[in-house]
Amino acid sequence: MNKKQLTERDICTKYITPALERAGWDSATQVREEFPLTKGRIIVRGKLHTRAQYKRVDYVLFYKPNIPLALIEAKDNNHSPGDGMQQALGYAEMLQVPFVFSSNGDGFLFHNKIATDGIIERELSLEEFPSAEELWQIWSLHRGITGQQEKLITQDYYSDGSNKSPRYYQFLAINKTVEAIAQGKNRILLVMATGTGKTFTAFQIIWRLWKSKAKKRILFLADRNILVDQTITNDFKPFGSAMTKIKKRQINKSFEIYLSLYQAVTGTEEEQNIYRQFTPDFFDLIVVDECHRGSAAEDSAWRQILEYFSSATQIGLTATPRETKEISNSDYFGQPIYTYSLRKGIDDGFLAPYKVVRLDLDKDMQGWRPDKGMLDKLGNEIEDRIYNQKDFDKSMVLEQRTLLVAKKISDFLRQTNRFDKTIVFCENIDHAERMRQALVNENSDLVAKNARYVVRITGDSEEGKAELDNFIFPDSPYPVIAVTSKLMSTGVDAQTCKLIVLDQTILSMTEFKQRIGRGTRINEEYGKYYFTIMDFKKATELFADPDFDGDPVQIYTPQNPDDSPVPPDITEDEHSGEDVLYPETGDEGGDWQYVANNDDNDGPRIRRYVVDSVEVKVVAERVQYFDAEGKLITESLKDYTRKTLSREFASLQEFLVRWNSAEKKQVILEELSREGVFFDALSEEISREYDPFDLICHIAWDQPPLTRRERAEQVKKRNYFTKYGAQARRVLEALLDKYADEGIVHIEAPQILSIAPFTGFGTPVEIIRLFNGFESYQQAMHELEQALYSA
């Protein structure tokens, strides 16, 4: 057997796996081959999408299930043992493992990140591969892990028997947290972007601490009832009878796992806060979900609970840590022990990327001033001043503005899919109700068929809140459009939501990420690969904030930025002395409404002016893209494609050599698609009559393009195929016609000979016989492609 002729997979099977087994590694529990790291970023161009190349490690070696210790990158025997090391080190950084190996089947190159003798890399024979215990002892000694700590750190994960592994970032978060607790850390902050499995991660942390008996009584706190109920029925279900939900302000101390809405364990002074029925040392562990909402503030009810149970280990979970002068997560929990950001989730392909439709309205940008003595719709004289974006739908209602926003939302859905789940964020409950009415009228045909096509889901509407589960459930077609203010800003797992509308002034990065988070989940079964943000209130200017960690793939902005002034940054201080915040009742998340101040203390307080006669218009738009790495590109799609092609090919000649030598052109097209080149979108912009070959040559090197039909006709005129028999020539002519109609990818397809018109020439086997065998048929196809692209 010639080892040089073996594939990479053969090298793994015949040499690397046996070496691991000889070293004592258990193939069933410790060795994972072709271990997936990422799914590949979803790249969006226009209405089209594709996935970039995913990352997969040839071997990940685990000391215990889901506790990675080392990895191996394999190459075939035409490479040296160390040729895979650079690639392996990149994977090792993602997995944060200390031991890295590369092999070609002759031996191993061993990279030891924690080597104490100064020799980081050394070569090993196949027989010298270290055992799991050897590597674990080196790692344990390096980290100072004691025997008692090791017992907790190596406690098994929960498994349902399916051998399903957490994603790489989830077991990193779980392992880091458990290890920190084993080493005595009692305040821990985990930051994980919405849609990356915070609750599942929390469950595995709790499970391992509970099964090891390191933590015997545990409290899980959330701020929304739906979050608690979802957690009990889904991720936390394996706790079974050991688990209870605190409700109706009743305490039963016989359970081990307690889940609670934080409002259920706090109360007025008279109720004496029900949590005080527990002794301060009752709980060993407290996990606070969405901890940015309450525990970050020193005077919050959550902070009171945490301080009462101060002896317990406490873990804060959030997608959006808050850091202001008044509120700080890190001040209480410390710096995050692990962060998996929105940007990383999108880059890895676990979260949906998004486009932004930015619509600037003229009155928002220029402001509006009433005529002297002008009365509003309700007969109130309007205070004479300039009203602008921060006033609209709070102290000033322009009804035409609401109608325009509703129309633009509806127009977008008409051009995409009118049954795409949509969330519209409004300023307050009053604004949400007016928006609901406007959307009902804009979509009267669909509302007539089902009144739940548009629903207002706010804290004061029991009917609306009852529809929340239906909105979230992928199989439920209604409601389609959910109009809200703040009730749906967190904790709503809307996997199929494809449109997020922001008609709400957003003052903080935390709130911005919360709104975006409603759409970041991917659901391939229902065709949800990306979503769109429609922004009417310049909220997406927060993309420029250095704290923002996930770039959009596309933005619509005014055609000429100089045509209209950029409004000043909106800060919380701008509201002081001008507007007062009053909470509206019934909304668990705090639904706020602005009330205009009135200098005349004796006069009536005008909550808001309502004006129905002022026209509102949309400013012009242009499109911008973000590339596969999330970098903003401001040029046209053609310019971006030209730059991408110039990175792939140094010259036209290099491209032609690569193209003509490719056994299948589809391979090259797929590679370019993964780089963000979408030929369908370019065809739409330039011409659908051109082959991808002509699009590439025309865009990158300004070559005059030929249509597919022109290329096919040139080949026919040159009479290239006289050496073939009459029947074979007819097959080749039919292939040329097929190329002219549908393109090169279609005639390369294996099934091409089994469809019309080729079925008229016989079966595929009979057609291949016309060319004296399959190899001769392939040679004829190669000559046909050379003839097509010789012009």
Side-chain angles (χ1 to χ4, degrees), residues 285-355:
L285 173 67
I286 298 177
V287 179
V288 185
D289 195 19
E290 305 291 354
C291 68
H292 61 272
R293 292 184 62 83
S295 57
E298 289 187 16
D299 58 351
S300 74
W302 286 28
R303 182 66 70 88
Q304 294 172 29
I305 298 171
L306 297 183
E307 288 175 349
Y308 180 77
F309 297 113
S310 60
S311 63
T313 297
Q314 297 172 5
I315 302 171
L317 303 174
T318 183
T320 51
R322 298 189 73 176
E323 296 298 325
T324 68
K325 291 179 180 178
E326 296 78 23
I327 297 175
S328 172
N329 286 117
S330 62
D331 180 55
Y332 184 81
F333 289 105
Q335 291 300 313
I337 196 169
Y338 183 71
T339 297
Y340 189 72
S341 67
L342 176 65
R343 182 192 299 276
K344 196 75 177 80
I346 293 174
D347 285 346
D348 286 348
F350 295 121
L351 294 180
Y354 49 91
K355 300 186 292 184

Side-chain angles (χ1 to χ4, degrees), residues 645 649 651-672 679 690-697 701 711 739 743-745 747-748 782 784-791:
L645 291 169
F649 308 104
S651 65
L652 173 60
Q653 186 60 35
E654 182 181 324
F655 167 70
L656 292 175
V657 170
R658 176 89 181 279
W659 181 266
N660 289 323
S661 63
E663 190 172 325
K664 284 189 176 293
K665 315 306 182 198
Q666 176 71 2
V667 174
I668 297 177
L669 300 181
E670 286 178 353
E671 288 177 3
L672 292 174
F679 293 101
Y690 295 145
D691 187 88
F693 173 86
D694 282 280
L695 289 172
I696 291 171
C697 293
W701 296 286
R711 287 193 175 277
Y739 164 81
I744 190 67
V745 173
I747 69 170
E748 286 185 339
H782 182 65
L784 183 147
E785 290 184 352
Q786 281 186 319
L788 277 170
Y789 297 116
S790 63

Side-chain angles (χ1 to χ4, degrees), residues 45 51-52 93 163 166 203 227 258-259 267 438 453 530 532 589 636 650:
R45 292 289 177 271
R51 276 196 185 269
E93 187 174 342
N163 202 30
F203 162 72
L227 287 176
Y258 294 79
L259 292 92
Y453 180 78
Y530 64 92
T532 302
S636 68

Side-chain angles (χ1 to χ4, degrees), residues 183-281:
Q183 294 176 337
K185 189 173 175 64
N186 282 321
R187 299 291 182 269
I188 295 168
L189 180 63
L190 273 179
V191 178
M192 296 174 67
T194 300
T196 57
K198 287 196 303 296
T199 311
F200 170 75
T201 301
F203 162 72
Q204 289 288 4
I205 291 169
I206 295 170
W207 177 270
R208 293 177 65 196
L209 295 170
W210 179 62
K211 290 299 280 187
S212 66
K213 301 190 184 306
K215 305 295 178 185
K216 298 178 181 177
R217 287 191 291 233
I218 297 151
L219 174 64
F220 181 88
L221 282 170
D223 74 326
R224 295 286 173 83
N225 204 47
I226 189 171
L227 287 176
V228 176
D229 292 340
Q230 285 176 350
T231 301
I232 290 172
T233 56
N234 297 327
D235 290 318
F236 279 36
K237 189 176 181 180
F239 286 125
S241 60
M243 173 176 59
T244 187
K245 175 185 177 182
I246 299 175
K247 52 188 175 182
K248 296 183 179 178
R249 311 192 70 79
Q250 295 176 356
I251 296 297
N252 183 335
K253 299 180 182 179
S254 62
F255 292 91
E256 296 172 73
I257 311 293
Y258 294 79
L259 292 92
S260 176
L261 191 69
Y262 87 87
Q263 293 95 326
V265 290
T266 60
T268 63
E269 195 88 21
E270 294 75 22
E271 292 170 314
Q272 289 299 306
N273 292 325
I274 196 170
Y275 66 84
R276 294 184 181 276
Q277 294 182 34
F278 295 106
T279 58
D281 61 354

Side-chain angles (χ1 to χ4, degrees), residues 39-45 48-52 345-354 522-524 528-530 553 627-628 678:
K39 295 191 73 173
R41 179 188 173 105
I42 296 173
I43 303 170
V44 182
R45 292 289 177 271
L48 306 170
H49 71 273
T50 188
R51 276 196 185 269
I346 293 174
D347 285 346
D348 286 348
F350 295 121
L351 294 180
Y354 49 91
I522 295 170
N523 191 315
E524 298 186 21
K528 162 72 181 301
Y529 293 93
Y530 64 92
V553 295
D627 65 17
F678 278 78

Side-chain angles (χ1 to χ4, degrees), residues 360-371 382-392 396 398 401 536 538 563-568 578 614-617 619:
D360 292 330
L361 307 183
D362 58 349
K363 298 300 184 291
D364 288 11
M365 298 187 70
Q366 300 160 11
W368 174 75
R369 182 176 181 179
D371 295 334
I382 304 173
E383 180 187 353
D384 183 18
R385 66 178 180 89
I386 295 176
Y387 295 87
N388 54 34
Q389 191 174 70
K390 66 183 178 64
D391 299 307
F392 296 139
M396 170 58 67
L398 298 181
R401 186 188 181 285
F536 291 92
K538 287 192 174 292
D563 287 352
S564 53
V566 177
E578 189 170 326
V614 175
E615 185 181 10
V616 182
K617 296 179 181 178
V619 178

Side-chain angles (χ1 to χ4, degrees), residues 157 167-179 188 190-192 201 205 208 337-340:
Y157 280 57
R167 294 170 178 170
Y168 82 91
Y169 63 84
Q170 291 173 335
F171 63 60
L172 280 175
I174 296 162
N175 293 345
K176 284 177 175 291
T177 302
V178 171
E179 183 176 330
I188 295 168
L190 273 179
V191 178
M192 296 174 67
T201 301
I205 291 169
R208 293 177 65 196
I337 196 169
Y338 183 71
T339 297
Y340 189 72

